[in-house]
């Protein structure tokens, strides 16, 4: 029983010592930098989502839709795929 308590105590002390060397105890700007990095990543994901949406809607060039996409759109429109039941053609 004492050996288990000793081992747990040693692990806790080791983790405390390690986080003291890398975490907020060592660097007072730790949380500020982490929030900055996390915010930058969130903004990058948001920006990629906006670019992907714009490319999906507008395309890259004037006639950027390929022929197979046009045929697929015609098929979906003819079959009513992806529409709510009130809007479907059937």
């Amino acid at each position: 029983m004492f050996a288990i308590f000793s081992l747990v105590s040693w692990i806790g002390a080791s983790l405390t010592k390690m986080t003291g060397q890398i975490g907020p105890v060592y660097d007072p700007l730790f949380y500020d930098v982490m929030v900055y990095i996390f915010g930058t990543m969130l903004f990058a994901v948001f920006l990629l989502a906006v670019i992907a949406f714009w490319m999906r809607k507008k395309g890259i060039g004037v006639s950027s839709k390929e022929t197979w996409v046009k045929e697929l759109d015609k098929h979906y429109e003819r079959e009513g795929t992806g529409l709510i039941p009130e809007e479907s053609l059937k």
Side-chain angles (χ1 to χ4, degrees):
M1 181 68 177
F2 179 72
I4 293 173
F5 178 73
S6 173
L7 180 65
V8 170
S9 175
W10 178 78
I11 291 173
S14 296
L15 287 175
T16 303
K17 200 182 291 186
M18 186 173 62
T19 56
Q21 293 176 2
I22 194 172
V25 175
Y26 179 74
D27 184 10
L29 294 177
F30 179 79
Y31 290 117
D32 297 335
V33 172
M34 288 299 116
V35 167
Y36 175 76
I37 291 172
F38 184 69
T40 303
M41 290 189 305
L42 281 180
F43 179 71
V45 168
F46 170 75
L47 196 58
L48 286 173
V50 168
I51 291 170
F53 180 78
W54 182 78
M55 286 180 66
R56 172 118 171 112
K57 287 295 178 186
K58 299 287 184 181
I60 295 175
V62 176
S63 62
S64 63
K65 272 196 171 180
E66 298 179 10
T67 55
W68 67 272
V69 176
K70 290 178 185 175
E71 290 176 14
L72 196 61
D73 285 342
K74 280 193 273 186
H75 171 73
Y76 284 159
E77 191 173 320
R78 183 176 61 243
E79 295 294 323
T81 306
L83 300 174
I84 57 176
E86 293 84 28
E87 293 177 346
S88 77
L89 303 175
K90 294 182 180 180

